Amino acid sequence: MLTNEFSRGADLPTAGWKRREKMEANEQLTLAPYAQKSSDSRGRKFAEPRHEYRTEYQRDRARIIHSRAFRRLEYKTQVFLNGTADHLRTRLTHTCEVASVSRTISRALGLNEDLAEAIALAHDLGHAPFGHSGEEMLAECMREHGGFEHNRQSLRVVELLENPYPDFPGLNLTSEVLDGLRKHEERGSSGKDEARELKDGAILEAQVADLADEITYYSHDLDDALDFAILDSDQLNGSAIWQRSHARVTARHPALLGVDLHQTIIRDIIDLQVRDVVATSAEAIATAAPANAEEARAEPAPLIRYSDELAAANRQLRELLYANVYYHPRVVEVNWQACQMLRAVFAAYLREPERLGDGAVRRIESEGLYRTVCDYVAGMTDRYLLEEHERVEGDFDRD
């Protein structure tokens, strides 16, 4: 019978199993002394039995991937409004790219790949619809009510708003993943216009996820802008990073043209950035010689970093993207229109909070009306907000 078959699991031979204890022991043997080990985790806010064949950070990664907030990233804008073209990045594809780069850097430096990946996968869960324009609009709506910032919102998502478990609120992630989200640098109110410096005290895996985020959006924003035809090669001649990779690629592949050429250059840029971070960070770690993860995070400056040369080139690239992409009329106009719809939906919920549904309405007493509305709107996908705007405006017109 079905019940009997499944009840045999506890009696099956375990010689071929890779149990959690074996994985934890392997981390102690193979990871660098300064890496954060799963067995050394400070644990979770709500105590739970450890899993039989997953480490703590592997468990966190699974909880994030299976969350509703993670699935909604598929229909949230990165830079170009979601649905503009089939192959442009979304918030989800960006997140997957950050996770991939995080694992590469962590593996090269002997850090905990599972922890860095979990932080990377969760870092944008709190992002508003319509990208950074939507974030700015929500911040404006919340100006007198505690503000809005997507990194803090990511913490709200995993600690409060996601509720798949009956025994506790949120996802009950480990302290290290939550710390990684707290240390993920908060950008200025104008989005990508300010340099990012990690706050002191971040574990190395969090530092990796932060730089992986930066490497990823530099490269894919360039890629998407070229595909969207709002950047051309003449504008990119002012970027040292682009020029260096262009020279390397054309030397190896002189026949490449058009899309094939620019996609190969983008891959080269990512590779050069990752190589620079690994080499520079390895040297910084060797100089500091931290004996464990706590000593590494206590260093006065981040140990995961670019070389000075690449840091300067990245600042130049950021200025180019800001001047030619993020404020380009084809980006700004459509995002402005979408954000006006966001403002209208936000106002409608304030007037009629019953539109939020029972679960959100129950939080109004503890969280306040404005914060509850903000949580609800921030969690929306682009297309759901557009549909809700149509419903709200239709109801208003009938009234």
Side-chain angles (χ1 to χ4, degrees):
M1 293 178 60
L2 186 64
T3 302
N4 291 339
E5 286 296 316
F6 276 83
S7 68
R8 292 181 61 240
D11 300 325
L12 290 174
T14 60
W17 288 22
K18 196 170 184 182
R19 300 178 67 93
R20 172 181 52 79
E21 294 88 349
K22 184 175 181 180
M23 288 187 249
E24 290 175 344
N26 192 53
E27 285 185 357
Q28 295 289 345
L29 289 172
T30 60
L31 295 185
Y34 45 81
Q36 176 64 49
K37 316 300 193 299
S38 302
S39 57
D40 296 333
S41 172
R42 298 194 300 277
R44 307 174 188 276
K45 181 177 180 179
F46 302 97
E48 297 181 64
R50 294 204 172 194
H51 200 275
E52 191 173 8
Y53 46 86
R54 284 189 294 182
T55 68
E56 292 298 275
Y57 306 136
Q58 289 169 357
R59 201 175 189 183
D60 285 346
R61 178 182 60 202
R63 290 183 175 188
I64 293 161
I65 288 173
H66 287 284
S67 69
R68 290 184 171 187
F70 186 81
R71 294 196 293 275
R72 289 196 298 268
L73 295 177
E74 180 178 5
Y75 297 104
K76 288 192 174 188
T77 287
Q78 176 64 23
V79 173
F80 300 94
L81 196 66
N82 185 250
T84 302
D86 289 344
H87 53 272
L88 296 176
R89 269 71 171 190
T90 66
R91 190 63 56 180
L92 179 61
T93 60
H94 161 72
T95 296
C96 292
E97 291 179 27
V98 176
S100 175
V101 172
S102 294
R103 290 194 73 98
T104 298
I105 295 173
S106 296
R107 186 182 306 119
L109 294 173
L111 296 171
N112 195 315
E113 296 178 48
D114 295 329
L115 174 55
E117 183 182 24
I119 295 168
L121 290 171
H123 85 280
D124 266 355
L125 290 180
H127 227 298
F130 309 136
H132 287 281
S133 298
E135 180 176 11
E136 291 168 17
M137 179 56 73
L138 266 185
E140 182 178 323
C141 292
M142 293 294 293
R143 189 184 306 277
E144 305 299 325
H145 303 277
F148 176 82
E149 198 279 322
H150 83 267
N151 292 312
R152 289 196 296 267
Q153 190 69 15
S154 294
L155 278 166
R156 285 184 65 79
V157 168
V158 300
E159 292 186 300
L160 175 69
L161 301 177
E162 285 284 326
N163 283 292
Y165 305 104
D167 297 327
F168 44 77
L171 300 181
N172 200 28
L173 302 179
T174 58
S175 175
E176 291 74 33
V177 172
L178 296 179
D179 284 351
L181 296 180
R182 291 188 186 99
K183 298 302 180 182
H184 187 75
E185 174 63 14
E186 299 175 5
R187 295 188 180 103
S189 60
S190 52
K192 294 186 172 73
D193 61 327
E194 297 179 6
R196 301 184 340 156
E197 294 182 2
L198 264 177
K199 299 173 184 175
D200 294 341
I203 56 177
L204 297 192
E205 288 81 0
Q207 296 180 31
V208 166
D210 192 79
L211 279 196
D213 181 30
E214 195 168 275
I215 289 169
T216 302
Y217 82 66
Y218 282 151
S219 59
H220 67 48
D221 289 357
L222 266 179
D223 193 16
D224 285 352
L226 287 163
D227 277 347
F228 204 57
I230 62 174
L231 268 183
D232 58 38
S233 56
D234 289 340
Q235 292 167 303
L236 287 167
N237 285 336
S239 166
I241 291 174
W242 178 269
Q243 288 178 326
R244 181 173 63 174
S245 287
H246 185 278
R248 284 164 51 93
V249 169
T250 53
R252 295 195 304 266
H253 307 286
L256 282 181
L257 296 171
V259 173
D260 292 336
L261 174 60
H262 97 236
Q263 289 185 340
T264 307
I265 292 172
I266 294 298
R267 288 196 298 273
D268 191 74
I269 288 173
I270 295 171
D271 185 63
L272 286 171
Q273 297 251 353
V274 170
R275 287 174 180 273
D276 181 275
V277 168
V278 169
T280 306
S281 302
E283 183 177 351
I285 291 168
T287 300
N292 51 49
E294 287 304 311
E295 286 189 12
R297 74 183 298 173
E299 284 293 312
L303 295 177
I304 309 300
R305 56 183 187 245
Y306 303 115
S307 65
D308 291 342
E309 179 186 5
L310 185 59
N314 279 340
R315 287 192 294 271
Q316 180 190 54
L317 176 59
R318 183 179 53 253
E319 291 168 3
L320 184 150
L321 288 169
Y322 197 79
N324 296 285
V325 178
Y326 305 134
Y327 275 174
H328 191 281
R330 289 177 64 193
V331 175
V332 170
E333 182 178 351
V334 68
N335 286 351
W336 182 86
Q337 293 172 349
C339 286
Q340 298 312 304
M341 296 180 191
L342 187 155
R343 188 205 297 269
V345 169
F346 194 100
Y349 288 155
L350 292 178
R351 292 193 304 268
E352 303 175 73
E354 62 274 11
R355 288 180 177 271
L356 298 172
D358 294 342
V361 168
R362 284 194 294 269
R363 287 202 303 273
I364 292 175
E365 184 175 353
S366 59
E367 301 294 322
L369 177 59
Y370 270 82
R371 183 57 61 188
T372 301
V373 169
C374 181
D375 287 338
Y376 195 82
V377 173
M380 288 180 166
T381 63
D382 294 13
R383 68 179 185 180
Y384 183 72
L385 196 146
L386 295 174
E387 291 168 359
E388 189 68 354
H389 178 263
E390 187 174 342
R391 285 190 287 271
V392 165
E393 291 297 296
D395 291 346
F396 180 79
D397 289 341
R398 282 192 293 273
D399 292 343

